[in-house]
Amino acid sequence: MWIQQQANAPASLSDLQGRTVGLKFECNKCQTEVFTALIGVPEINESADSIKHAANHEIEEVKCPTCEMTHQLEVDSTTAGVRFKVSEVAPEKVSYQLSH
């Protein structure tokens, strides 16, 4: 089941931390629906000396299968939750799905 990311509310850290997800979004250049391979959701650094230093992220790239545009993907884990960023795609247009 695909879950639509909310623009102003991060996904639950406890549900996603340490798991893998697939992302789905529409290419902003050719409007093709793009599906990623599984991406790891990094765990936060619980031994960090501040909330800012607890954050962790994973960066990947994926090419649109139609127009070959390269999109940068970023998974940010913070104490507030998890956000998925895709270059040049609005946050609310990114969906994610947990792997089984």
Side-chain angles (χ1 to χ4, degrees):
M1 179 173 95
W2 289 101
I3 301 167
Q4 187 75 34
Q5 177 171 248
Q6 302 299 310
N8 298 320
S12 169
L13 180 64
S14 61
D15 291 346
L16 299 177
Q17 183 173 242
R19 308 262 321 256
T20 56
V21 296
L23 299 181
K24 174 177 79 166
F25 60 92
E26 187 177 280
C27 177
N28 60 306
K29 184 175 180 183
C30 71
Q31 287 69 51
T32 296
E33 195 166 56
V34 179
F35 297 87
T36 71
L38 294 177
I39 301 168
V41 177
E43 296 188 22
I44 62 168
N45 181 358
E46 295 189 24
S47 63
D49 59 355
S50 71
I51 291 174
K52 181 180 178 183
H53 292 129
N56 203 350
H57 64 272
E58 180 76 26
I59 298 175
E60 304 278 339
E61 287 186 343
V62 65
K63 280 191 178 187
C64 174
T66 302
C67 71
E68 301 279 318
M69 179 178 181
T70 299
H71 295 274
Q72 184 172 356
L73 314 171
E74 188 171 339
V75 181
D76 291 329
S77 293
T78 67
T79 56
V82 179
R83 291 194 184 274
F84 303 102
K85 299 175 185 172
V86 178
S87 59
E88 300 183 44
V89 176
E92 65 274 7
K93 294 190 175 190
V94 177
S95 297
Y96 64 94
Q97 184 175 43
L98 286 170
S99 65
H100 296 297

